[in-house]
């Protein structure tokens, strides 16, 4: 017996710890008291008694007064899991009651001025159809409406009410998600100018009304809702809802005009290229610098949103982008040629230099798009072959030419991250043509360009060098070593790449030689 009591005590203790029951020694909750109910099963002569409703709040004691709240639920520090579940159910019940109250208010407002509630409205006598709309939760609305109106406006009701003329009917529509919308659809049947009644309504409400009009085959209501949707602006969220709802309703040709703002005839690749060429060329040749920067950002963002795994993505042509690359490089060569031979009788030097920076910036933007679209491999070779451009670059003051070296840095970062895959000969040619220029311009790039991340450029350049054969790594990094000691911060800091090369060239090679020299083969005879 003692052992059984001990076991029960441990079980109660565990339930206290887990929160299933509260510790009565700590607090007492009046709400946990149990009232006795009588049912027919307890006594033959008894009657079923229901718990009386709670007394109304008096003026002296508000619903939120401390004593009332204390009597309603236990204090938070003594709540059990059961109490918390009850509280959650209580909150859900309050939300449900609030939703029901708002629904009743909307229905009451619709019925207040409903034509079928007005005696002799339009010469009609009292309604001869009792129409009841029932929600899923049991809430229902009954209306005395006119068979002549329903049958003339709705093919659904015309079919249901075509028999037994002169006889009163009772029609019930059950399991509705939106009782108020059904009521409004019936009210609209009594009016001729439906569009006027929809002015100022929200798109979501009209979509709900369209769904009901479609269900009861209220053709005039469908046409008016579609006319409304075609005319009003949509937010992005509303646009998704419109497209989704119209596709579910299968209204076919009647909804085509509404969707014309979001769809068109399938375009060919040639048409797409023509549009993109026009947009990109417009940005590259823009006169206003601020507007040009803004539209560059917009187009870049939109092209990035056009994800590769999207089957409906915009298929931008590589030929289009490389055509623009060649055009920008040719313009840059012309600007540099003019800048190297300029004299007092020609154009202002500052104008020419600004054009150099502009064309270099244009190339950077196109390269950025090429990298995002995974099409930049051919550009690395194209840029590596620009010997004339590199020669002209060396004759221009650094403060004007450093934007050109940003193209080289951009390519090295992409190669170092594995975003561009090109053969080692192409990588070597790129550095052979442009590495010296990048060294010379690095200080200006770092100080003048806020958008240049020094560490990113250094890491990208170092990783690109480390992809080359070891002798080329050695030649480039030994040259860098001397330059860095003399230039300091005006030279890229590639200590990390230098350390990796050092370990590859000396430590790993020596360890490999030692392993080879210690290799032994031993033959042993084991007795059988």
């Amino acid at each position: 017996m003692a052992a059984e009591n001990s076991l029960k005590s441990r079980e109660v203790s565990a339930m206290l710890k887990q929160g299933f029951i509260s510790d009565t020694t700590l607090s007492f909750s009046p709400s946990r008291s149990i009232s006795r109910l009588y049912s027919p099963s307890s006594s033959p002569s008894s009657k079923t008694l229901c718990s009386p409703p709670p007394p109304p709040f008096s003026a002296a004691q508000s619903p939120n007064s401390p004593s009332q709240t204390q009597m309603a639920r236990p204090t938070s520090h003594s709540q059990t899991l059961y109490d918390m579940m009850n509280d959650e159910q209580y909150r859900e019940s309050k939300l449900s009651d609030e939703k029901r109250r708002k629904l009743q208010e909307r229905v009451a407002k619709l019925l207040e001025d409903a034509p079928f509630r007005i005696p002799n409205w339009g010469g009609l006598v009292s309604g001869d159809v009792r129409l009841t709309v029932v929600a899923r939760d049991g809430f229902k609305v009954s209306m005395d409406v006119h068979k002549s109106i329903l049958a003339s406006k709705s093919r659904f009701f015309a079919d249901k009410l075509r028999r037994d003329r002169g006889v009163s009917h009772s029609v019930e529509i059950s399991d509705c998600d939106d009782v108020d919308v059904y009521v409004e659809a019936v009210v609209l049947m009594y009016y001729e100018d439906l569009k006027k009644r929809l002015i100022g309504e929200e798109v979501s409400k009209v979509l709900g009304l369209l769904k009901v009009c479609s269900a009861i085959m209220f053709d005039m209501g469908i046409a008016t809702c579609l006319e409304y949707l075609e005319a009003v602006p949509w937010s992005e969220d509303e646009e998704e809802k419109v497209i989704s709802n119209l596709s579910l309703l299968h209204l076919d040709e009647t909804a085509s005009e509404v969707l014309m703002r979001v769809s068109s005839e399938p375009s060919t690749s040639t048409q797409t290229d023509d549009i993109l060429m026009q947009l990109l060329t417009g940005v590259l040749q823009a006169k206003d610098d601020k507007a040009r920067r803004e539209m560059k950002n917009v187009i870049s963002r939109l092209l990035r949103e056009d994800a590769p795994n999207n089957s409906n993505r915009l298929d931008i042509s590589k030929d289009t982008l490389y055509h623009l690359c060649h055009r920008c490089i040719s313009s840059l060569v012309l600007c540099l040629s003019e800048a190297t031979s300029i004299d007092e009788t020609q154009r202002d030097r500052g104008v020419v230099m600004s054009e150099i920076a502009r064309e270099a910036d244009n190339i950077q933007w196109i390269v950025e798009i090429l990298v995002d679209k995974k099409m930049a491999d051919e550009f690395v070779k194209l840029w590596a072959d620009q010997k004339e451009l590199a020669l002209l670059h060396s004759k221009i003051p650094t403060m004007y030419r450093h934007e050109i070296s940003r193209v080289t840095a951009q390519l090295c970062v992409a190669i170092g991250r594995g975003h561009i895959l090109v053969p080692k000969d192409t990588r070597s040619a790129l550095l052979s043509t442009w590495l010296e220029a990048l060294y010379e311009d690095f200080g200006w790039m770092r100080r003048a360009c806020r958008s240049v991340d020094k560490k990113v450029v250094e890491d990208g350049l170092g990783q690109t060098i480390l992809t080359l054969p070891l002798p080329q790594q050695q030649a480039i990094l030994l040259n860098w070593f001397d330059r860095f000691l003399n230039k300091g911060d005006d030279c890229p800091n590639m200590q990390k790449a230098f350390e990796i090369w050092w370990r590859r060239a000396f430590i790993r090679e020596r360890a490999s030689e030692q392993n080879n020299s210690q290799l032994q083969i031993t033959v042993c005879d084991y007795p059988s």
Side-chain angles (χ1 to χ4, degrees), residues 470 474 501-512:
L470 198 59
Q474 176 176 312
W501 162 76
W502 177 281
R503 296 188 187 100
R504 288 175 177 177
F506 301 115
I507 298 175
R508 185 168 300 166
E509 183 176 342
R510 183 168 302 231
S512 177

Side-chain angles (χ1 to χ4, degrees), residues 239-298:
E239 179 174 313
E240 294 300 322
K241 292 178 181 177
V242 170
I243 296 171
S244 174
N245 278 269
L246 292 184
S247 62
L248 290 175
L249 292 176
H250 302 293
L251 297 174
D252 301 327
E253 294 182 2
T254 56
S256 59
E257 289 194 10
V258 178
L259 297 176
M260 283 180 66
R261 71 173 71 175
V262 295
S263 63
S264 61
E265 292 296 325
S267 59
T268 65
S269 57
T270 303
Q271 291 173 327
T272 301
D273 280 347
D274 291 343
I275 294 172
L276 287 172
M277 178 66 81
Q278 179 182 349
L279 294 174
L280 296 174
T281 302
V283 172
L284 297 177
Q285 297 178 350
K287 302 297 184 183
D288 187 278
D289 286 339
K290 181 174 180 295
R292 176 172 165 273
R293 286 193 301 271
E294 290 178 358
M295 294 315 299
K296 273 175 53 181
N297 292 333
V298 169

Side-chain angles (χ1 to χ4, degrees), residues 129-172:
V129 176
R130 168 56 63 94
L131 176 61
T132 303
V133 184
V134 186
R136 294 184 186 276
D137 62 358
F139 175 72
K140 63 171 62 176
V141 178
S142 294
M143 302 169 281
D144 292 326
V145 293
H146 300 85
K147 177 181 176 180
S148 59
I149 296 293
L150 298 184
S152 64
K153 298 296 180 67
S154 164
R155 287 181 286 124
F156 169 81
F157 286 117
D159 180 65
K160 301 298 180 185
L161 303 174
R162 68 175 181 265
R163 304 190 192 98
D164 302 326
R165 293 185 179 180
V167 177
S168 296
H169 293 267
S170 179
V171 179
E172 182 176 293

Side-chain angles (χ1 to χ4, degrees), residues 302-365:
L302 291 174
L303 289 174
R304 288 193 189 100
E305 288 177 2
D306 180 34
N309 58 352
N310 182 3
S311 60
N312 296 321
R313 68 190 182 94
L314 180 64
D315 190 15
I316 185 170
S317 167
K318 179 191 286 190
D319 292 340
T320 299
L321 293 174
Y322 275 94
H323 173 76
L324 293 173
C325 285
H326 283 282
R327 197 162 74 182
C328 290
I329 290 175
S330 298
S331 297
L332 186 57
V333 170
L334 288 175
C335 290
L336 287 173
S337 299
E338 185 177 352
T340 55
S341 59
I342 200 166
D343 57 36
E344 298 300 328
T345 62
Q346 292 177 315
R347 286 196 300 162
D348 179 57
R349 187 182 186 88
V351 174
V352 176
M353 298 307 174
S354 65
E355 289 181 0
I356 292 173
R358 178 193 181 89
E359 292 299 337
D361 183 69
N362 285 341
I363 295 174
Q364 293 169 35
W365 184 49

